[in-house]
Amino acid sequence: MANRRDGSLMRNNGQSLRGLRIAAAISIGVLLGCVFAFLYPHGFFAANLQTTSSSLPSKTGSVACDSSEKVNLLKSEIVALSEKNIELKKQVRDLTEKLRLAQQRNGLAQQQVVVLGKQHKAGPFGTVKSLRTNPTVLPDESVNPRLAKILEEVAIGKELIVALANSNVRGMLEVWFNSIKRVGITNYLVVALDDATETFCKSNDVPVYKRDPDKDVDSIGRMGGNHAVSGLKFRILREFLQLGYGVLLSDVDIIYLQNPFDYLYRDSDVESMTDGHNNMTAYGYNHVFDEPSMGWARYAHTMRIWVYNSGFFFIRPTVPAIELLDRVADRLAKQNVWDQAAFNEELYFPSHPGYTGLHASKRTMDFYLFMNSKVLFKTVRKDSRLKNLKPVIVHLNYHPDKLPRMIAVVEFYANGKKDALDPFPDGSQ
């Protein structure tokens, strides 16, 4: 019994000791909890987080500041790139325009290369001579196959005389082609502007070409007078040049006494007879203009030359020559201007602001060989020495009584009638 009680007591004591240990552990835990609660009211880890977070605001602010600066930098770079893009676009436009102009110049340069060939050094003083002869265009038979076939049969050396005519000038036309036949010229062609003229030429065995119907020119061709018909030639001659032929354009109030092709130089785009009557007026002179109100500078020097006659000129198939025809034809279509005035203005007026001059070479024919009627009736027929000179042609351009004077010229030069010119006055009355 005693043993059972002792065992029971020992068990009770052991349980009491475990209870005390547990109570002590709890007390220590509570005590430590109070201490930590007092020292770290927000908790131990919260304190660490607070300590850590205390350093974060400075970094975050720095990042925000850096980002703002980068954004501003990017914006400024975008603005700069936009401005550069605008400038590049402008440069592209400028380069495109320069390229276009360069291509135009290249086309002209290629034409010049054909003429000039390889480059040359300038020679000694007084030996340098420039080239004046432009190259001929490549013939294009597709322009007018029918005319091309006619020209192939008529022309000699790709050259021929061409005259435009309608029924209004039938009498002069007959004297004209008879003088050509008398000299033995075969390379000539009449461009008939109406059916009656075509029939008349064929009946007299005269080479003739009747153009295809053209509403723009047919009415003028059939009914127009000398000046109206004269204006048509600049449009019609273009096809001859495109086909590669040199043309000696002739009005019908002209008498042929020698073959003109034997007297051409062929070194210029245009060789023309002159309306001048002596060396000064025909070939140019220095004319002094006097303006007294200018005092010391009262005298102004000017260059003068009498106009080329648009009724007789030799024109080569070159680009400047075709441009000349185009310019004159365009002006005649749009302006009320005399064809001879437009012809000379386009040949002589230089480039100036608002206007690009024609770069065509020109030669003035010898005014005694290619003679106008003023020279003949006012000077030559009165000079014993000049009367013995036989001109190549005589153009009755200064006188309205053309047909009787043409007949008189034939009598004087071809038939030897020395007084044939005497009945006529110097000028017109």
Side-chain angles (χ1 to χ4, degrees):
M1 293 281 296
N3 290 334
R4 286 197 294 270
R5 285 196 297 269
D6 292 340
S8 173
L9 181 62
M10 290 176 65
R11 286 196 294 275
N12 291 334
N13 288 336
Q15 292 176 352
S16 299
L17 286 172
R18 285 196 297 274
L20 287 173
R21 291 191 188 99
I22 293 169
I26 292 171
S27 299
I28 291 170
V30 170
L31 180 60
L32 289 174
C34 291
V35 172
F36 278 103
F38 178 79
L39 294 175
Y40 304 101
H42 300 290
F44 178 79
F45 294 104
N48 289 337
L49 290 174
Q50 184 178 1
T51 303
T52 304
S53 64
S54 65
S55 62
L56 289 177
S58 62
K59 293 181 180 180
T60 303
S62 176
V63 171
C65 182
D66 291 345
S67 299
S68 178
E69 290 178 356
K70 288 181 179 179
V71 169
N72 292 333
L73 181 61
L74 287 173
K75 286 182 178 179
S76 63
E77 289 179 353
I78 290 172
V79 171
L81 288 173
S82 299
E83 293 176 351
K84 190 173 183 180
N85 185 46
I86 294 172
E87 181 65 24
L88 286 173
K89 287 182 178 180
K90 182 180 178 181
Q91 292 178 4
V92 168
R93 287 195 300 268
D94 293 343
L95 289 173
T96 301
E97 179 64 16
K98 289 180 180 178
L99 177 61
R100 184 183 66 80
L101 294 174
Q103 289 174 340
Q104 291 180 351
R105 295 191 188 100
N106 183 49
L108 295 175
Q110 289 177 348
Q111 296 174 19
Q112 292 297 325
V113 167
V114 175
V115 181
L116 301 176
K118 65 179 181 180
Q119 291 179 304
H120 300 277
K121 291 183 179 179
F125 177 81
T127 65
V128 177
K129 301 294 181 182
S130 63
L131 298 177
R132 299 168 179 82
T133 308
N134 283 309
T136 57
V137 298
L138 293 174
D140 183 7
E141 293 190 2
S142 65
V143 171
N144 191 329
R146 185 167 68 88
L147 178 59
K149 186 176 180 180
I150 295 173
L151 296 181
E152 188 176 351
E153 297 173 354
V154 173
I156 297 176
K158 304 286 284 188
E159 296 175 346
L160 75 162
I161 299 170
V162 175
L164 279 66
N166 60 18
S167 298
N168 293 335
V169 295
R170 178 170 175 169
M172 288 189 291
L173 177 62
E174 184 173 13
V175 178
W176 177 84
F177 64 63
N178 283 334
S179 72
I180 287 178
K181 290 180 178 181
R182 186 181 301 109
V183 176
I185 301 170
T186 59
N187 54 329
Y188 69 102
L189 181 69
V190 174
V191 177
L193 300 176
D194 54 36
D195 295 334
T197 301
E198 180 184 24
T199 302
F200 177 67
C201 288
K202 288 181 177 179
S203 66
N204 285 275
D205 197 25
V206 172
V208 63
Y209 163 65
K210 177 69 166 58
R211 299 180 68 252
D212 293 330
D214 187 335
K215 293 181 180 179
D216 293 334
V217 301
D218 279 356
S219 59
I220 299 175
R222 289 192 301 269
M223 300 175 291
N226 287 341
H227 286 300
V229 171
S230 184
L232 291 179
K233 62 194 173 195
F234 297 99
R235 294 181 59 178
I236 295 174
L237 283 182
R238 193 184 204 279
E239 291 184 345
F240 287 79
L241 269 58
Q242 285 181 280
L243 293 171
Y245 289 85
V247 175
L248 186 57
L249 189 280
S250 174
D251 283 351
V252 295
D253 58 342
I254 293 176
I255 299 298
Y256 287 77
L257 301 168
Q258 298 187 65
N259 191 330
F261 293 105
D262 295 336
Y263 295 87
L264 297 178
Y265 285 80
R266 301 174 178 84
D267 64 347
S268 304
D269 297 303
V270 178
E271 292 181 57
S272 179
M273 72 171 296
T274 175
D275 275 359
H277 57 91
N278 55 28
N279 285 340
M280 289 178 58
T281 57
Y283 309 135
Y285 63 100
N286 181 4
H287 174 75
V288 180
F289 176 79
D290 185 10
E291 190 176 5
S293 64
M294 287 298 294
W296 176 82
R298 63 183 291 179
Y299 300 111
H301 290 257
T302 69
M303 299 308 299
R304 302 283 294 274
I305 187 171
W306 286 31
V307 296
Y308 283 170
N309 191 288
S310 62
F312 189 87
F313 59 87
F314 178 69
I315 185 165
R316 296 176 60 246
T318 66
V319 170
I322 294 174
E323 184 181 2
L324 170 64
L325 298 180
D326 288 352
R327 286 185 177 213
V328 176
D330 183 65
R331 287 188 58 185
L332 293 177
K334 298 177 180 178
Q335 304 173 15
N336 183 21
V337 59
W338 183 26
D339 68 282
Q340 182 160 292
F343 177 71
N344 281 272
E345 288 169 1
E346 294 300 331
L347 272 175
Y348 279 100
F349 281 177
S351 297
H352 56 262
Y355 175 80
T356 301
L358 178 70
H359 300 283
S361 56
K362 47 197 172 290
R363 169 181 281 275
T364 304
M365 292 176 171
D366 187 319
F367 70 91
Y368 281 128
L369 293 179
F370 298 89
M371 191 181 298
N372 61 59
S373 56
K374 179 176 182 177
V375 173
L376 174 61
F377 286 95
K378 193 173 182 181
T379 305
V380 171
R381 70 171 176 167
K382 300 176 183 179
D383 189 297
S384 59
R385 292 175 302 171
L386 293 176
K387 285 177 70 173
N388 296 322
L389 172 68
K390 187 177 183 180
V392 177
I393 62 105
V394 174
H395 190 179
L396 282 301
N397 59 312
Y398 269 101
H399 299 87
D401 51 339
K402 297 180 182 298
L403 185 55
R405 289 185 187 249
M406 289 178 70
I407 295 173
V409 170
V410 173
E411 291 294 323
F412 180 80
Y413 283 109
N415 300 330
K417 190 176 180 181
K418 298 305 180 181
D419 60 349
L421 303 177
D422 294 347
F424 299 93
D426 289 353
S428 57
Q429 293 179 349

